[in-house]
Amino acid sequence: MLTTAEALSAVLSEMPLFDTETLAVPATANRILRQNVRAERDQPPFDRVMMDGIAIAYAEFRAGRRRFPIQGVQAAGDRVQSLRAGACIEIMTGAALPSGADCIVPVERLTIAAGVAELPADYAPEARQFIHAQGSDYARDALMLRPGTSIMANEIAVMLTCGNAEVEVSRIPSIRVISTGNELVAAGRPIEPHQIRMSNGPAIIAMLEQHGFSNCMHAHIVDDPALLEAELEQQIRNADVLILSGGVSMGKADFIPEVLKTLGVRLVFHKVSQRPGKPMWFGIGPDGQPVFALPGNPVSTLVCCRHYVMPALFRASGAIDSAPQFTALAGEIRFEPKLTNFVPVKLASNAAGQVLAIPVLTNTSGDFASLLGTHGYVELARDESLFATGKTVPLHRWRYQDG
């Protein structure tokens, strides 16, 4: 049986690279960049004024001048004026520095009357104060963003500042999510005492969409081998990625492994040394489509989706791998089975700035309600049984790539 690290490595090594498409920059939020973005010009592209006030030649102040006739006004976006000797220019925040000026005196330190700006006797400005120097943020042609960057608000602002109207990003894959089981009934429909509400499939789609994978469809198939084969053959043909929930354990109604084999899906692994989610199944379809068959218990489904499916989709999108995260346990955990244990946690911080994980123990792997309010889960090594308060352990947030 594979370890969790071996299973994740096997999944990532099998993932294809999704195609690209070109989109307008404002439409690229939550997408993965697939090109370099370089600076169009220096930033700022000119010596930028940082305060409302007046622009003067500092040498004239050093020579004893404190009264400066105002020769004109220059606002942000105005053409650059040339400063005359002995004069000043009223200037606005964001404007380009007038030619011949090298000092900004803020309006709060001025007295202005009859067209003359006067500095008080107790005020001494410095050369080049309140001037954001040209190119001090970055120089023209500087590499600003690399392929694999996850695009959020900051990245959109940088791309537009660099003059990019469009960029190349990863195409969103077509993902089909299948819930299996005779016992499942959708919310809003009549339900018998022996049935349960269908939640896994919609929860998987919610996690996918929260990460930008919005091209998803959900279907429910009962536990009938012939029907499963017919339906899954069609779903595999129409999908870039197939995700199933349920039917992968050892019960008499767990038909998924055999049906997938019949459909030509190559098994990569079945079962991982972990709890919850031990029956996890992964394979590759006839045309290279990744197929994830997740255990049907709700906690197992969500944990396996986050731990294996999300990193796989980001790898196939060309994303830069996330750096591992760690946290300290805020309470002791004992765990006897020789399996890697995934324990949901709520996160808090102490006065020392340390991130602490408060364990939230589930009643069973069907206890979906216990996940409410949790921020992710910690990974506890399978060769240990006692995890003391304060022990540092790997942390996996529900939102992949969150820091």
Side-chain angles (χ1 to χ4, degrees):
M1 194 184 314
L2 296 183
T3 66
T4 55
E6 290 168 342
L8 181 57
S9 177
V11 169
L12 297 180
S13 68
E14 293 281 354
M15 293 305 293
L17 186 62
F18 296 145
D19 293 335
T20 64
E21 61 181 335
T22 300
L23 294 180
V25 166
T28 61
N30 276 329
R31 304 295 280 271
I32 302 300
L33 185 67
R34 294 285 288 275
Q35 67 169 72
N36 287 327
V37 172
R38 294 187 176 275
E40 177 184 40
R41 52 184 184 157
D42 293 346
Q43 181 63 23
F46 45 77
D47 283 348
R48 187 180 71 88
V49 173
M50 300 171 61
M51 297 283 284
D52 293 340
I54 60 171
I56 64 172
Y58 180 73
E60 293 181 345
F61 165 78
R62 287 289 302 273
R65 183 181 294 276
R66 288 187 169 273
R67 289 172 54 83
F68 296 87
I70 299 172
Q71 76 171 56
V73 178
Q74 186 178 312
D78 288 351
R79 292 185 179 277
V80 176
Q81 298 183 31
S82 294
L83 180 63
R84 295 195 298 266
C88 71
I89 294 175
E90 279 196 278
I91 202 75
M92 311 301 168
T93 302
L97 185 68
S99 175
D102 60 358
C103 178
I104 304 300
V105 180
V107 66
E108 294 86 356
R109 305 310 302 263
L110 297 169
T111 300
I112 298 178
V116 175
E118 183 173 358
L119 281 63
D122 62 349
Y123 178 68
E126 298 179 1
R128 295 198 63 80
Q129 69 176 17
F130 304 122
I131 297 170
H132 187 185
Q134 178 176 343
S136 59
D137 291 353
Y138 52 81
R140 177 183 176 182
D141 204 40
L143 180 59
M144 303 302 297
L145 296 172
R146 300 176 182 275
T149 300
S150 184
I151 300 173
M152 302 301 285
N154 293 342
E155 287 74 23
I156 287 176
V158 167
M159 290 188 290
L160 292 173
T161 299
C162 289
N164 294 90
E166 298 178 328
V167 290
E168 189 177 15
V169 297
S170 290
R171 179 180 61 82
I172 296 177
S174 170
I175 303 176
R176 298 293 182 267
V177 178
I178 309 298
S179 297
T180 66
N182 297 338
E183 74 278 20
L184 302 179
V185 178
R189 295 183 179 179
I191 190 167
E192 299 292 336
H194 59 277
Q195 297 175 317
I196 63 173
R197 290 297 184 190
M198 181 161 48
S199 62
N200 287 359
I204 290 171
I205 287 182
M207 180 175 282
L208 294 170
E209 291 182 340
Q210 288 168 358
H211 288 83
F213 299 101
S214 56
N215 186 8
C216 303
M217 292 183 62
H218 176 247
H220 172 220
I221 309 175
V222 297
D223 293 323
D224 178 277
L227 185 58
L228 282 167
E229 183 177 338
E231 291 289 333
L232 291 181
E233 181 179 23
Q234 181 179 1
Q235 295 292 348
I236 292 175
R237 188 184 310 120
N238 295 327
D240 296 313
V241 179
L242 183 66
I243 305 172
L244 298 100
S245 173
V248 293
S249 193
M250 301 295 289
K252 289 186 176 181
D254 291 321
F255 303 119
I256 292 300
E258 280 302 314
V259 169
L260 292 174
K261 181 179 179 180
T262 300
L263 294 175
V265 180
R266 172 174 58 86
L267 172 66
V268 177
F269 65 79
H270 187 193
K271 295 186 181 179
V272 183
S273 179
Q274 67 181 54
R275 179 179 289 183
K278 181 180 176 182
M280 169 78 188
W281 191 104
F282 174 70
I284 299 296
D287 297 318
Q289 313 95 320
V291 178
F292 299 87
L294 313 182
N297 282 324
V299 178
S300 300
T301 296
L302 202 61
V303 166
C304 287
C305 184
R306 164 58 186 83
H307 202 77
Y308 299 106
V309 178
M310 298 319 308
L313 293 178
F314 275 91
R315 173 64 65 87
S317 299
I320 298 169
D321 289 340
S322 292
Q325 297 184 46
F326 299 89
T327 184
L329 293 177
E332 179 182 284
I333 301 175
R334 291 182 178 271
F335 183 70
E336 295 302 330
K338 297 300 183 182
L339 302 168
T340 296
N341 189 13
F342 293 136
V343 179
V345 294
K346 295 181 180 180
L347 299 179
S349 59
N350 59 21
Q354 186 181 30
V355 177
L356 302 176
I358 304 168
V360 178
L361 302 181
T362 58
N363 188 26
T364 67
S365 57
D367 182 15
F368 221 171
S370 64
L371 300 182
L372 293 174
T374 61
H375 297 93
Y377 56 91
V378 292
E379 183 174 352
L380 307 181
R382 66 176 184 170
D383 55 353
E384 299 180 47
S385 59
L386 174 62
F387 300 86
T389 299
K391 183 177 178 62
T392 299
V393 293
L395 169 66
H396 306 280
R397 299 175 188 262
W398 289 127
R399 183 169 175 86
Y400 185 68
Q401 293 196 322
D402 266 5

